Amino acid sequence: MKIESVVFNLNNFMDKQQYSAARSMILKEWNRIAEPLNYKLLGAEAKELVKVIAQEKEDADFIHLSEKDKRLLKLLNDAVREVKLPYAKKLFYEHKQLYDLPYAQRWLTSDARFMCYAWSQTNG
């Protein structure tokens, strides 16, 4: 696909708030999108998404986690925030290995980290 088509589609995805499609396209076309001349063709929102993805690529913690891991961490954060503690505790015990990883700990909110610590101390 020509770079002009990629830029057009990417800007269109951003306008329609189709962020996952935009992210996929950016990752697929990363080498071409990251070139300064092509980057300048992007709209403001698309440029921001490219910046976010570039930061993610540099963050070792982000690289270590799969998409499934990130969803599980977000689920635990959300469950603790919404005080759905039985559900949060269930998630913790089902995926304890994930929540014990140092780089996963940095993705948890302070409340979620505290709850994980408390649950790991009670052993059950």
Side-chain angles (χ1 to χ4, degrees):
M1 184 181 309
K2 290 185 176 186
I3 191 63
E4 293 82 9
S5 298
V6 171
V7 168
F8 175 80
N9 287 334
L10 189 53
N11 287 332
N12 195 25
F13 287 144
M14 295 304 289
D15 289 342
K16 293 180 179 177
Q17 297 181 350
Q18 295 177 336
Y19 302 120
S20 61
R23 176 182 280 275
S24 296
M25 180 170 277
I26 290 169
L27 291 172
K28 181 180 175 190
E29 301 287 343
W30 179 255
N31 291 334
R32 296 194 310 164
I33 293 287
E35 291 177 17
L37 291 176
N38 296 332
Y39 177 79
K40 288 180 182 180
L41 300 173
L42 297 173
E45 287 184 338
K47 286 179 180 177
E48 287 301 314
L49 184 56
V50 169
K51 288 178 187 177
V52 168
I53 293 171
Q55 288 174 338
E56 291 172 354
K57 287 178 169 283
E58 293 175 7
D59 186 355
D61 295 343
F62 194 87
I63 294 168
H64 284 43
L65 297 169
S66 69
E67 290 301 314
K68 179 182 176 188
D69 293 342
K70 293 171 197 169
R71 281 192 299 273
L72 288 168
L73 292 165
K74 183 181 178 333
L75 273 174
L76 184 70
N77 283 335
D78 293 346
V80 170
R81 185 187 73 244
E82 296 168 7
V83 195
K84 296 179 179 176
L85 298 181
Y87 177 63
K89 187 174 184 179
K90 179 179 182 250
L91 283 172
F92 173 76
Y93 283 112
E94 286 178 357
H95 306 282
K96 188 174 183 329
Q97 314 86 306
L98 170 63
Y99 301 119
D100 287 342
L101 296 172
Y103 48 87
Q105 285 284 314
R106 290 190 283 272
W107 277 69
L108 295 173
T109 62
S110 58
D111 292 337
R113 274 195 306 273
F114 174 78
M115 294 308 299
C116 289
Y117 174 77
W119 291 324
S120 68
Q121 298 303 305
T122 61
N123 294 324

